[in-house]
PDB file of all heavy atoms in Angstrom:
ATOM      1  N   MET N   8      17.194   0.708   1.040  1.00 69.00           N
ATOM      2  CA  MET N   8      18.202  -0.170   0.415  1.00 69.00           C
ATOM      3  C   MET N   8      17.802  -0.426  -1.009  1.00 69.00           C
ATOM      4  O   MET N   8      16.668  -0.233  -1.433  1.00 69.00           O
ATOM      5  CB  MET N   8      18.332  -1.529   1.123  1.00 69.00           C
ATOM      6  CG  MET N   8      18.569  -1.335   2.633  1.00 69.00           C
ATOM      7  SD  MET N   8      20.170  -0.572   2.996  1.00 69.00           S
ATOM      8  CE  MET N   8      21.296  -1.925   2.563  1.00 69.00           C
ATOM      9  N   SER N   9      18.760  -0.908  -1.853  1.00 70.00           N
ATOM     10  CA  SER N   9      18.453  -1.118  -3.234  1.00 70.00           C
ATOM     11  C   SER N   9      17.551  -2.317  -3.439  1.00 70.00           C
ATOM     12  O   SER N   9      16.763  -2.314  -4.384  1.00 70.00           O
ATOM     13  CB  SER N   9      19.788  -1.323  -4.022  1.00 70.00           C
ATOM     14  OG  SER N   9      20.473  -2.453  -3.487  1.00 70.00           O
ATOM     15  N   ASN N  10      17.618  -3.321  -2.587  1.00 74.00           N
ATOM     16  CA  ASN N  10      16.828  -4.520  -2.754  1.00 74.00           C
ATOM     17  C   ASN N  10      15.569  -4.400  -1.955  1.00 74.00           C
ATOM     18  O   ASN N  10      15.551  -4.852  -0.786  1.00 74.00           O
ATOM     19  CB  ASN N  10      17.647  -5.788  -2.379  1.00 74.00           C
ATOM     20  CG  ASN N  10      16.926  -7.051  -2.690  1.00 74.00           C
ATOM     21  OD1 ASN N  10      16.016  -7.070  -3.497  1.00 74.00           O
ATOM     22  ND2 ASN N  10      17.273  -8.137  -1.985  1.00 74.00           N
ATOM     23  N   GLN N  11      14.551  -3.830  -2.485  1.00 83.00           N
ATOM     24  CA  GLN N  11      13.268  -3.780  -1.736  1.00 83.00           C
ATOM     25  C   GLN N  11      12.135  -3.947  -2.735  1.00 83.00           C
ATOM     26  O   GLN N  11      12.287  -3.897  -3.960  1.00 83.00           O
ATOM     27  CB  GLN N  11      13.136  -2.473  -0.943  1.00 83.00           C
ATOM     28  CG  GLN N  11      13.879  -1.254  -1.436  1.00 83.00           C
ATOM     29  CD  GLN N  11      13.250  -0.664  -2.661  1.00 83.00           C
ATOM     30  OE1 GLN N  11      12.088  -0.868  -3.001  1.00 83.00           O
ATOM     31  NE2 GLN N  11      14.013   0.157  -3.360  1.00 83.00           N
ATOM     32  N   PHE N  12      10.968  -4.099  -2.175  1.00 91.00           N
ATOM     33  CA  PHE N  12       9.760  -4.556  -2.902  1.00 91.00           C
ATOM     34  C   PHE N  12       8.681  -3.639  -2.433  1.00 91.00           C
ATOM     35  O   PHE N  12       8.536  -3.398  -1.267  1.00 91.00           O
ATOM     36  CB  PHE N  12       9.549  -6.009  -2.532  1.00 91.00           C
ATOM     37  CG  PHE N  12       8.276  -6.640  -2.994  1.00 91.00           C
ATOM     38  CD1 PHE N  12       8.289  -7.327  -4.153  1.00 91.00           C
ATOM     39  CD2 PHE N  12       7.189  -6.583  -2.207  1.00 91.00           C
ATOM     40  CE1 PHE N  12       7.137  -7.965  -4.624  1.00 91.00           C
ATOM     41  CE2 PHE N  12       5.989  -7.263  -2.686  1.00 91.00           C
ATOM     42  CZ  PHE N  12       5.987  -7.933  -3.823  1.00 91.00           C
ATOM     43  N   VAL N  13       7.911  -3.075  -3.379  1.00 95.00           N
ATOM     44  CA  VAL N  13       6.845  -2.113  -3.000  1.00 95.00           C
ATOM     45  C   VAL N  13       5.496  -2.605  -3.555  1.00 95.00           C
ATOM     46  O   VAL N  13       5.453  -3.088  -4.719  1.00 95.00           O
ATOM     47  CB  VAL N  13       7.151  -0.687  -3.533  1.00 95.00           C
ATOM     48  CG1 VAL N  13       5.995   0.229  -3.146  1.00 95.00           C
ATOM     49  CG2 VAL N  13       8.458  -0.223  -2.956  1.00 95.00           C
ATOM     50  N   ALA N  14       4.469  -2.474  -2.785  1.00 97.00           N
ATOM     51  CA  ALA N  14       3.123  -2.927  -3.242  1.00 97.00           C
ATOM     52  C   ALA N  14       2.097  -1.856  -2.936  1.00 97.00           C
ATOM     53  O   ALA N  14       2.278  -1.081  -1.966  1.00 97.00           O
ATOM     54  CB  ALA N  14       2.771  -4.275  -2.577  1.00 97.00           C
ATOM     55  N   TRP N  15       1.050  -1.885  -3.691  1.00 98.00           N
ATOM     56  CA  TRP N  15      -0.150  -1.050  -3.395  1.00 98.00           C
ATOM     57  C   TRP N  15      -1.226  -1.999  -2.899  1.00 98.00           C
ATOM     58  O   TRP N  15      -1.460  -3.043  -3.539  1.00 98.00           O
ATOM     59  CB  TRP N  15      -0.597  -0.328  -4.662  1.00 98.00           C
ATOM     60  CG  TRP N  15       0.219   0.929  -4.971  1.00 98.00           C
ATOM     61  CD1 TRP N  15       1.251   0.971  -5.878  1.00 98.00           C
ATOM     62  CD2 TRP N  15       0.069   2.234  -4.418  1.00 98.00           C
ATOM     63  NE1 TRP N  15       1.745   2.257  -5.923  1.00 98.00           N
ATOM     64  CE2 TRP N  15       0.993   3.033  -5.067  1.00 98.00           C
ATOM     65  CE3 TRP N  15      -0.810   2.731  -3.498  1.00 98.00           C
ATOM     66  CZ2 TRP N  15       1.154   4.390  -4.745  1.00 98.00           C
ATOM     67  CZ3 TRP N  15      -0.658   4.138  -3.216  1.00 98.00           C
ATOM     68  CH2 TRP N  15       0.321   4.951  -3.822  1.00 98.00           C
ATOM     69  N   TYR N  16      -1.956  -1.518  -1.867  1.00 98.00           N
ATOM     70  CA  TYR N  16      -3.115  -2.220  -1.346  1.00 98.00           C
ATOM     71  C   TYR N  16      -4.276  -1.302  -1.335  1.00 98.00           C
ATOM     72  O   TYR N  16      -4.106  -0.058  -1.420  1.00 98.00           O
ATOM     73  CB  TYR N  16      -2.849  -2.670   0.084  1.00 98.00           C
ATOM     74  CG  TYR N  16      -1.797  -3.734   0.285  1.00 98.00           C
ATOM     75  CD1 TYR N  16      -0.451  -3.513   0.164  1.00 98.00           C
ATOM     76  CD2 TYR N  16      -2.210  -5.106   0.586  1.00 98.00           C
ATOM     77  CE1 TYR N  16       0.479  -4.509   0.295  1.00 98.00           C
ATOM     78  CE2 TYR N  16      -1.278  -6.109   0.780  1.00 98.00           C
ATOM     79  CZ  TYR N  16       0.075  -5.811   0.637  1.00 98.00           C
ATOM     80  OH  TYR N  16       0.992  -6.820   0.805  1.00 98.00           O
ATOM     81  N   ARG N  17      -5.453  -1.832  -1.166  1.00 98.00           N
ATOM     82  CA  ARG N  17      -6.637  -1.001  -1.005  1.00 98.00           C
ATOM     83  C   ARG N  17      -7.573  -1.622   0.042  1.00 98.00           C
ATOM     84  O   ARG N  17      -7.548  -2.869   0.210  1.00 98.00           O
ATOM     85  CB  ARG N  17      -7.397  -0.762  -2.329  1.00 98.00           C
ATOM     86  CG  ARG N  17      -7.958  -1.935  -3.009  1.00 98.00           C
ATOM     87  CD  ARG N  17      -8.506  -1.523  -4.387  1.00 98.00           C
ATOM     88  NE  ARG N  17      -9.073  -2.669  -5.099  1.00 98.00           N
ATOM     89  CZ  ARG N  17      -9.610  -2.553  -6.306  1.00 98.00           C
ATOM     90  NH1 ARG N  17      -9.519  -1.384  -7.007  1.00 98.00           N
ATOM     91  NH2 ARG N  17     -10.152  -3.588  -6.927  1.00 98.00           N
ATOM     92  N   GLN N  18      -8.318  -0.802   0.657  1.00 97.00           N
ATOM     93  CA  GLN N  18      -9.148  -1.190   1.743  1.00 97.00           C
ATOM     94  C   GLN N  18     -10.438  -0.379   1.772  1.00 97.00           C
ATOM     95  O   GLN N  18     -10.391   0.876   1.789  1.00 97.00           O
ATOM     96  CB  GLN N  18      -8.380  -1.113   3.065  1.00 97.00           C
ATOM     97  CG  GLN N  18      -9.124  -1.647   4.258  1.00 97.00           C
ATOM     98  CD  GLN N  18      -8.297  -1.587   5.518  1.00 97.00           C
ATOM     99  OE1 GLN N  18      -7.420  -0.764   5.675  1.00 97.00           O
ATOM    100  NE2 GLN N  18      -8.579  -2.537   6.418  1.00 97.00           N
ATOM    101  N   ALA N  19     -11.550  -1.057   1.861  1.00 92.00           N
ATOM    102  CA  ALA N  19     -12.842  -0.365   2.051  1.00 92.00           C
ATOM    103  C   ALA N  19     -13.138  -0.447   3.585  1.00 92.00           C
ATOM    104  O   ALA N  19     -12.673  -1.356   4.240  1.00 92.00           O
ATOM    105  CB  ALA N  19     -13.930  -1.080   1.214  1.00 92.00           C
ATOM    106  N   PRO N  20     -13.980   0.503   4.062  1.00 88.00           N
ATOM    107  CA  PRO N  20     -14.320   0.462   5.471  1.00 88.00           C
ATOM    108  C   PRO N  20     -14.832  -0.869   5.943  1.00 88.00           C
ATOM    109  O   PRO N  20     -15.773  -1.440   5.264  1.00 88.00           O
ATOM    110  CB  PRO N  20     -15.349   1.578   5.616  1.00 88.00           C
ATOM    111  CG  PRO N  20     -15.030   2.516   4.493  1.00 88.00           C
ATOM    112  CD  PRO N  20     -14.632   1.595   3.397  1.00 88.00           C
ATOM    113  N   GLY N  21     -14.344  -1.449   7.006  1.00 91.00           N
ATOM    114  CA  GLY N  21     -14.807  -2.713   7.545  1.00 91.00           C
ATOM    115  C   GLY N  21     -14.337  -3.933   6.792  1.00 91.00           C
ATOM    116  O   GLY N  21     -14.747  -5.069   7.114  1.00 91.00           O
ATOM    117  N   LYS N  22     -13.490  -3.786   5.798  1.00 94.00           N
ATOM    118  CA  LYS N  22     -12.990  -4.898   5.035  1.00 94.00           C
ATOM    119  C   LYS N  22     -11.509  -5.068   5.122  1.00 94.00           C
ATOM    120  O   LYS N  22     -10.817  -4.137   5.575  1.00 94.00           O
ATOM    121  CB  LYS N  22     -13.426  -4.737   3.541  1.00 94.00           C
ATOM    122  CG  LYS N  22     -14.940  -4.810   3.375  1.00 94.00           C
ATOM    123  CD  LYS N  22     -15.263  -4.847   1.879  1.00 94.00           C
ATOM    124  CE  LYS N  22     -16.773  -4.982   1.646  1.00 94.00           C
ATOM    125  NZ  LYS N  22     -17.141  -5.076   0.208  1.00 94.00           N
ATOM    126  N   GLN N  23     -11.015  -6.191   4.698  1.00 95.00           N
ATOM    127  CA  GLN N  23      -9.548  -6.445   4.769  1.00 95.00           C
ATOM    128  C   GLN N  23      -8.872  -5.632   3.697  1.00 95.00           C
ATOM    129  O   GLN N  23      -9.392  -5.188   2.708  1.00 95.00           O
ATOM    130  CB  GLN N  23      -9.254  -7.899   4.595  1.00 95.00           C
ATOM    131  CG  GLN N  23      -9.534  -8.463   3.232  1.00 95.00           C
ATOM    132  CD  GLN N  23      -9.177  -9.912   3.129  1.00 95.00           C
ATOM    133  OE1 GLN N  23      -9.117 -10.653   4.107  1.00 95.00           O
ATOM    134  NE2 GLN N  23      -8.939 -10.401   1.940  1.00 95.00           N
ATOM    135  N   ARG N  24      -7.564  -5.420   3.931  1.00 96.00           N
ATOM    136  CA  ARG N  24      -6.721  -4.740   3.035  1.00 96.00           C
ATOM    137  C   ARG N  24      -6.224  -5.699   1.953  1.00 96.00           C
ATOM    138  O   ARG N  24      -5.627  -6.697   2.293  1.00 96.00           O
ATOM    139  CB  ARG N  24      -5.567  -4.069   3.750  1.00 96.00           C
ATOM    140  CG  ARG N  24      -4.839  -2.988   3.057  1.00 96.00           C
ATOM    141  CD  ARG N  24      -3.933  -2.208   3.951  1.00 96.00           C
ATOM    142  NE  ARG N  24      -4.616  -1.392   4.927  1.00 96.00           N
ATOM    143  CZ  ARG N  24      -4.037  -0.512   5.768  1.00 96.00           C
ATOM    144  NH1 ARG N  24      -2.720  -0.432   5.731  1.00 96.00           N
ATOM    145  NH2 ARG N  24      -4.759   0.183   6.583  1.00 96.00           N
ATOM    146  N   ASP N  25      -6.510  -5.448   0.682  1.00 97.00           N
ATOM    147  CA  ASP N  25      -6.214  -6.333  -0.386  1.00 97.00           C
ATOM    148  C   ASP N  25      -5.083  -5.840  -1.249  1.00 97.00           C
ATOM    149  O   ASP N  25      -5.007  -4.636  -1.526  1.00 97.00           O
ATOM    150  CB  ASP N  25      -7.473  -6.593  -1.276  1.00 97.00           C
ATOM    151  CG  ASP N  25      -8.575  -7.263  -0.542  1.00 97.00           C
ATOM    152  OD1 ASP N  25      -8.253  -8.184   0.272  1.00 97.00           O
ATOM    153  OD2 ASP N  25      -9.769  -7.017  -0.851  1.00 97.00           O
ATOM    154  N   LEU N  26      -4.260  -6.740  -1.696  1.00 98.00           N
ATOM    155  CA  LEU N  26      -3.131  -6.390  -2.631  1.00 98.00           C
ATOM    156  C   LEU N  26      -3.719  -5.989  -3.980  1.00 98.00           C
ATOM    157  O   LEU N  26      -4.596  -6.687  -4.523  1.00 98.00           O
ATOM    158  CB  LEU N  26      -2.207  -7.616  -2.788  1.00 98.00           C
ATOM    159  CG  LEU N  26      -1.005  -7.384  -3.677  1.00 98.00           C
ATOM    160  CD1 LEU N  26      -0.066  -6.362  -3.133  1.00 98.00           C
ATOM    161  CD2 LEU N  26      -0.304  -8.784  -3.893  1.00 98.00           C
ATOM    162  N   VAL N  27      -3.188  -4.916  -4.538  1.00 98.00           N
ATOM    163  CA  VAL N  27      -3.634  -4.466  -5.833  1.00 98.00           C
ATOM    164  C   VAL N  27      -2.525  -4.726  -6.858  1.00 98.00           C
ATOM    165  O   VAL N  27      -2.776  -5.205  -7.950  1.00 98.00           O
ATOM    166  CB  VAL N  27      -3.943  -2.969  -5.768  1.00 98.00           C
ATOM    167  CG1 VAL N  27      -4.290  -2.404  -7.163  1.00 98.00           C
ATOM    168  CG2 VAL N  27      -5.123  -2.670  -4.843  1.00 98.00           C
ATOM    169  N   ALA N  28      -1.318  -4.299  -6.562  1.00 98.00           N
ATOM    170  CA  ALA N  28      -0.195  -4.387  -7.492  1.00 98.00           C
ATOM    171  C   ALA N  28       1.101  -4.362  -6.684  1.00 98.00           C
ATOM    172  O   ALA N  28       1.196  -3.805  -5.574  1.00 98.00           O
ATOM    173  CB  ALA N  28      -0.185  -3.295  -8.523  1.00 98.00           C
ATOM    174  N   ALA N  29       2.166  -4.995  -7.255  1.00 97.00           N
ATOM    175  CA  ALA N  29       3.462  -5.000  -6.631  1.00 97.00           C
ATOM    176  C   ALA N  29       4.535  -4.898  -7.636  1.00 97.00           C
ATOM    177  O   ALA N  29       4.320  -5.300  -8.842  1.00 97.00           O
ATOM    178  CB  ALA N  29       3.600  -6.269  -5.780  1.00 97.00           C
ATOM    179  N   ILE N  30       5.682  -4.374  -7.232  1.00 95.00           N
ATOM    180  CA  ILE N  30       6.812  -4.244  -8.147  1.00 95.00           C
ATOM    181  C   ILE N  30       8.114  -4.467  -7.328  1.00 95.00           C
ATOM    182  O   ILE N  30       8.263  -3.983  -6.254  1.00 95.00           O
ATOM    183  CB  ILE N  30       6.835  -2.872  -8.798  1.00 95.00           C
ATOM    184  CG1 ILE N  30       7.873  -2.787  -9.908  1.00 95.00           C
ATOM    185  CG2 ILE N  30       6.946  -1.776  -7.847  1.00 95.00           C
ATOM    186  CD1 ILE N  30       7.736  -1.628 -10.838  1.00 95.00           C
ATOM    187  N   THR N  31       9.004  -5.264  -7.924  1.00 92.00           N
ATOM    188  CA  THR N  31      10.284  -5.524  -7.289  1.00 92.00           C
ATOM    189  C   THR N  31      11.278  -4.476  -7.623  1.00 92.00           C
ATOM    190  O   THR N  31      11.048  -3.617  -8.529  1.00 92.00           O
ATOM    191  CB  THR N  31      10.864  -6.863  -7.709  1.00 92.00           C
ATOM    192  OG1 THR N  31      11.207  -6.815  -9.121  1.00 92.00           O
ATOM    193  CG2 THR N  31       9.888  -7.985  -7.481  1.00 92.00           C
ATOM    194  N   SER N  32      12.420  -4.447  -7.005  1.00 87.00           N
ATOM    195  CA  SER N  32      13.479  -3.463  -7.283  1.00 87.00           C
ATOM    196  C   SER N  32      13.919  -3.626  -8.721  1.00 87.00           C
ATOM    197  O   SER N  32      14.460  -2.695  -9.332  1.00 87.00           O
ATOM    198  CB  SER N  32      14.620  -3.576  -6.319  1.00 87.00           C
ATOM    199  OG  SER N  32      15.103  -4.922  -6.288  1.00 87.00           O
ATOM    200  N   GLY N  33      13.859  -4.819  -9.231  1.00 87.00           N
ATOM    201  CA  GLY N  33      14.239  -5.097 -10.610  1.00 87.00           C
ATOM    202  C   GLY N  33      13.193  -4.805 -11.687  1.00 87.00           C
ATOM    203  O   GLY N  33      13.426  -4.971 -12.846  1.00 87.00           O
ATOM    204  N   GLY N  34      11.998  -4.413 -11.184  1.00 89.00           N
ATOM    205  CA  GLY N  34      10.949  -4.055 -12.133  1.00 89.00           C
ATOM    206  C   GLY N  34       9.926  -5.117 -12.468  1.00 89.00           C
ATOM    207  O   GLY N  34       9.017  -4.937 -13.276  1.00 89.00           O
ATOM    208  N   ARG N  35      10.054  -6.308 -11.773  1.00 94.00           N
ATOM    209  CA  ARG N  35       9.036  -7.333 -11.966  1.00 94.00           C
ATOM    210  C   ARG N  35       7.715  -6.864 -11.395  1.00 94.00           C
ATOM    211  O   ARG N  35       7.735  -6.422 -10.234  1.00 94.00           O
ATOM    212  CB  ARG N  35       9.481  -8.653 -11.396  1.00 94.00           C
ATOM    213  CG  ARG N  35       8.491  -9.777 -11.607  1.00 94.00           C
ATOM    214  CD  ARG N  35       9.013 -11.069 -11.049  1.00 94.00           C
ATOM    215  NE  ARG N  35       7.939 -12.119 -11.062  1.00 94.00           N
ATOM    216  CZ  ARG N  35       8.136 -13.338 -10.658  1.00 94.00           C
ATOM    217  NH1 ARG N  35       9.326 -13.705 -10.140  1.00 94.00           N
ATOM    218  NH2 ARG N  35       7.201 -14.181 -10.679  1.00 94.00           N
ATOM    219  N   ARG N  36       6.603  -7.070 -12.098  1.00 97.00           N
ATOM    220  CA  ARG N  36       5.293  -6.603 -11.666  1.00 97.00           C
ATOM    221  C   ARG N  36       4.310  -7.732 -11.486  1.00 97.00           C
ATOM    222  O   ARG N  36       4.389  -8.746 -12.215  1.00 97.00           O
ATOM    223  CB  ARG N  36       4.765  -5.570 -12.632  1.00 97.00           C
ATOM    224  CG  ARG N  36       5.730  -4.447 -12.947  1.00 97.00           C
ATOM    225  CD  ARG N  36       5.178  -3.646 -14.090  1.00 97.00           C
ATOM    226  NE  ARG N  36       6.243  -2.713 -14.583  1.00 97.00           N
ATOM    227  CZ  ARG N  36       6.050  -1.900 -15.614  1.00 97.00           C
ATOM    228  NH1 ARG N  36       4.868  -1.809 -16.225  1.00 97.00           N
ATOM    229  NH2 ARG N  36       7.065  -1.125 -15.973  1.00 97.00           N
ATOM    230  N   ASP N  37       3.350  -7.511 -10.596  1.00 97.00           N
ATOM    231  CA  ASP N  37       2.278  -8.454 -10.389  1.00 97.00           C
ATOM    232  C   ASP N  37       1.008  -7.639 -10.062  1.00 97.00           C
ATOM    233  O   ASP N  37       1.088  -6.552  -9.458  1.00 97.00           O
ATOM    234  CB  ASP N  37       2.606  -9.419  -9.310  1.00 97.00           C
ATOM    235  CG  ASP N  37       1.716 -10.718  -9.353  1.00 97.00           C
ATOM    236  OD1 ASP N  37       1.033 -10.875 -10.386  1.00 97.00           O
ATOM    237  OD2 ASP N  37       1.707 -11.418  -8.382  1.00 97.00           O
ATOM    238  N   TYR N  38      -0.151  -8.151 -10.479  1.00 98.00           N
ATOM    239  CA  TYR N  38      -1.392  -7.432 -10.291  1.00 98.00           C
ATOM    240  C   TYR N  38      -2.519  -8.343  -9.840  1.00 98.00           C
ATOM    241  O   TYR N  38      -2.538  -9.561 -10.173  1.00 98.00           O
ATOM    242  CB  TYR N  38      -1.882  -6.828 -11.668  1.00 98.00           C
ATOM    243  CG  TYR N  38      -0.951  -5.801 -12.231  1.00 98.00           C
ATOM    244  CD1 TYR N  38       0.050  -6.177 -13.157  1.00 98.00           C
ATOM    245  CD2 TYR N  38      -1.028  -4.430 -11.845  1.00 98.00           C
ATOM    246  CE1 TYR N  38       0.903  -5.270 -13.708  1.00 98.00           C
ATOM    247  CE2 TYR N  38      -0.113  -3.524 -12.416  1.00 98.00           C
ATOM    248  CZ  TYR N  38       0.799  -3.919 -13.323  1.00 98.00           C
ATOM    249  OH  TYR N  38       1.656  -3.014 -13.854  1.00 98.00           O
ATOM    250  N   ALA N  39      -3.456  -7.780  -9.054  1.00 98.00           N
ATOM    251  CA  ALA N  39      -4.667  -8.518  -8.775  1.00 98.00           C
ATOM    252  C   ALA N  39      -5.477  -8.701 -10.029  1.00 98.00           C
ATOM    253  O   ALA N  39      -5.417  -7.807 -10.957  1.00 98.00           O
ATOM    254  CB  ALA N  39      -5.483  -7.744  -7.710  1.00 98.00           C
TER     255      ALA N  39
END
């Protein structure tokens, strides 16, 4: 759909998955 939100995460073995960066459908961005 047009209204969606995508993020990148990263994870090391044995650790939690952490947010790295995100972007909205409108182009708003956020970073760790």
